[in-house]
Amino acid sequence: MKNLLEHPVYKKQLHRLERYESERVFCKHDASHFEEMGRIAVAMMKKYGVEMEEETVWLAAYLHDMGRVAQYENGTPHDKAGTVFARRMLQEIGYPENKSEEIIALIDGHRSGGSDMPVRIFAWADKRSRACYACEQAAACKWSDERKNRYAFEDLEAEQL
């Protein structure tokens, strides 16, 4: 994990993303979002008995929105651009290829979910990492009321994945 977060290419990409989103009034795709999403994803993977190494989930959380830079620059969907960036970063930090594919699958499916339980949980955690219930911009947000996270994490026990 440390190898990724300290890698100069990762840090440069994160700073580029921060610059693109500096004027954004809605939820930002930044280290705080990555942290919150990772916490929720790890907790829910454990809760639902999904056997995946925590490091894999955390790496995916820190990489999942990095493709937004390409989306801002050329319109490439950020999940697709994110898989390209993640492959490069995982290779550069020497992460094992078989484990890298788990990370790529999580990133690739984080917008749509899918039928694979780890991907569904990861996508769910991405949406639930947003504090829509406390957002001053919620009324102007493009997300539908059904997509908005209207309650705190502790209250999600009854929700189905």
Side-chain angles (χ1 to χ4, degrees):
M1 186 70 180
K2 181 179 176 182
N3 291 344
L4 174 68
L5 299 180
E6 292 180 353
H7 195 286
V9 173
Y10 179 84
K11 289 168 75 170
K12 182 178 179 182
Q13 186 84 340
L14 181 59
H15 291 130
R16 288 172 70 202
L17 180 57
E18 289 170 348
R19 280 195 304 275
Y20 278 117
E21 296 205 343
S22 64
E23 302 295 320
R24 186 179 167 106
V25 296
F26 301 105
C27 301
K28 293 187 177 176
H29 304 91
D30 57 12
S32 294
H33 167 56
F34 304 158
E35 283 279 333
E36 186 64 15
M37 186 208 178
R39 274 193 282 279
I40 293 170
V42 166
M44 298 312 285
M45 297 267 188
K46 285 181 181 177
K47 177 180 176 164
Y48 286 95
V50 174
E51 304 226 0
M52 186 172 279
E53 290 182 23
E54 280 190 39
E55 182 180 44
T56 299
V57 179
W58 279 108
L59 284 167
Y62 274 96
L63 287 164
H64 82 283
D65 279 337
M66 298 304 276
R68 285 193 166 274
V69 171
Q71 188 169 322
Y72 280 114
E73 292 176 352
N74 61 39
T76 303
H78 78 273
D79 50 336
K80 302 307 175 199
T83 61
V84 173
F85 181 77
R87 278 188 203 285
R88 174 184 175 194
M89 292 309 311
L90 294 167
Q91 185 175 32
E92 286 194 21
I93 66 171
Y95 204 69
E97 192 172 327
N98 62 325
K99 291 182 182 181
S100 294
E101 290 309 311
E102 290 180 322
I103 293 167
I104 298 304
L106 293 175
I107 294 168
D108 190 44
H110 86 272
R111 290 181 67 199
S112 60
S115 60
D116 185 53
M117 188 60 141
V119 174
R120 287 175 53 207
I121 290 172
F122 194 75
W124 182 85
D126 187 31
K127 304 301 180 274
R128 293 306 179 259
S129 67
R130 305 307 190 164
C132 302
Y133 57 87
C135 180
E136 293 179 10
Q137 299 296 326
C141 180
K142 69 177 182 174
W143 277 15
S144 67
D145 284 342
E146 294 78 34
R147 277 185 80 198
K148 289 178 184 167
N149 184 16
R150 295 281 186 193
Y151 32 81
F153 177 63
E154 294 79 24
D155 297 332
L156 296 177
E157 293 298 316
E159 185 168 327
Q160 297 286 328
L161 281 173

